[in-house]
């Protein structure tokens, strides 16, 4: 991946692949699957600037597995790979 550094409280996420097999063993075609809402953090900005001028450090770090909103962020393609750029507020949780 090229060197990418998101600004402010933005986070770059690479979506995780969804299962192509249902619980019953049925193969689900790509056209029937929804976009995944899980991903891995690839890059993190410096943080959010608060009203008093201080910068709040990001709560996520590179390598974290996260859940984010279904329609969150902006999709970008870099070096042939699709990424999602979201505000940190659009991330709901980290996965252990």
């Amino acid at each position: 991946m090229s060197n990418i550094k998101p600004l402010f409280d933005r986070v770059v996420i690479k979506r995780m692949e969804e299962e192509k097999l249902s619980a019953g063993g049925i193969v689900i075609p790509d056209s029937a699957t929804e976009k995944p809402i899980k991903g891995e953090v690839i890059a993190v900005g410096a943080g959010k600037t608060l009203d008093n001028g201080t910068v709040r450090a990001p709560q996520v770090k590179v390598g974290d597995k996260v859940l984010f909103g279904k329609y969150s962020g902006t999709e970008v393609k870099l070096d042939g790979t699709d990424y999602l750029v979201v505000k940190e507020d659009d991330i709901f949780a980290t996965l252990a």
Side-chain angles (χ1 to χ4, degrees), residues 21-71:
L21 201 61
S22 72
I26 299 171
V27 176
I28 302 170
D30 288 337
S31 60
T33 58
E34 294 183 3
K35 290 186 179 181
I37 59 168
K38 293 187 286 187
E40 180 179 356
V41 175
I42 302 299
V44 180
K48 184 174 186 172
T49 304
L50 303 176
D51 291 336
N52 64 5
T54 61
V55 176
R56 181 180 53 90
Q59 299 293 309
V60 295
K61 61 186 179 308
V62 173
D64 282 352
K65 307 284 191 264
V66 295
L67 293 176
F68 50 88
K70 186 183 249 184
Y71 301 107

